[in-house]
């Protein structure tokens, strides 16, 4: 299961982890976000097997960490940010098929 990340731990867990980070900006009341939860769980399991510890998957609740959402210009949930070396390298919005997320991870590992 993707790790919940809050404002206090974002820098250490996401920006300075030396990995590609896929961060799901979500809301507990968002139906599309709930649809993505099992997709992210499957993706995390597969990526761990394929890439070991080169990828981190985390979740930011936009209701509790609205300052992070504002900082990254997240206007709707779910929004998936790909961050590497402290910089945004990709972004997807809305419900996404697992294959699209897998391809985005592969592409962004090359960045």
């Amino acid at each position: 299961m993707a790790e919940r990340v809050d404002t206090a731990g974002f820098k250490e867990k996401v920006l300075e982890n030396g990995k590609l980070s896929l961060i799901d900006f979500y809301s507990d009341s968002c139906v599309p976000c709930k649809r993505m939860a099992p997709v992210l769980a499957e993706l995390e399991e597969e990526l761990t097997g394929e890439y070991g510890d080169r990828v981190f998957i985390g979740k930011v609740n936009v209701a509790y960490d609205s300052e992070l959402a504002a900082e990254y210009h997240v206007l709707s949930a779910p929004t998936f940010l790909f961050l590497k070396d402290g910089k945004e390298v990709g972004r997807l919005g809305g419900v996404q098929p697992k294959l699209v997320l897998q391809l985005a991870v592969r592409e962004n590992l090359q960045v």
Side-chain angles (χ1 to χ4, degrees):
M1 171 137 273
E3 182 178 341
R4 169 87 164 79
V5 181
D6 60 14
T7 303
F10 195 81
K11 183 177 180 182
E12 178 186 343
K13 290 182 180 179
V14 176
L15 301 178
E16 297 176 345
N17 67 12
K19 304 175 185 184
L20 173 66
S21 295
L22 166 53
I23 306 300
D24 173 17
F25 282 83
Y26 76 102
S27 170
D28 290 327
S29 62
C30 167
V31 173
C33 298
K34 291 177 184 180
R35 286 182 49 205
M36 289 305 301
V39 173
L40 282 177
E42 285 179 27
L43 182 65
E44 183 176 34
E45 187 175 315
E46 291 172 13
L47 292 176
T48 300
E50 190 171 346
Y51 298 112
D53 65 350
R54 293 178 51 204
V55 178
F56 171 77
I57 297 180
K59 297 175 73 71
V60 172
N61 188 315
V62 296
Y64 296 110
D65 295 294
S66 57
E67 59 278 0
L68 276 176
E71 180 179 344
Y72 286 94
H73 307 286
V74 172
L75 302 176
S76 63
T79 294
F80 304 96
L81 292 186
F82 296 86
L83 299 126
K84 188 172 183 184
D85 300 324
K87 296 182 177 119
E88 182 178 333
V89 294
R91 175 184 294 243
L92 294 168
V95 173
Q96 297 291 328
K98 183 173 64 172
L99 179 60
V100 170
L101 293 171
Q102 288 171 321
L103 292 173
V105 166
R106 285 188 186 114
E107 179 182 311
N108 287 301
L109 277 171
Q110 306 302 319
V111 174

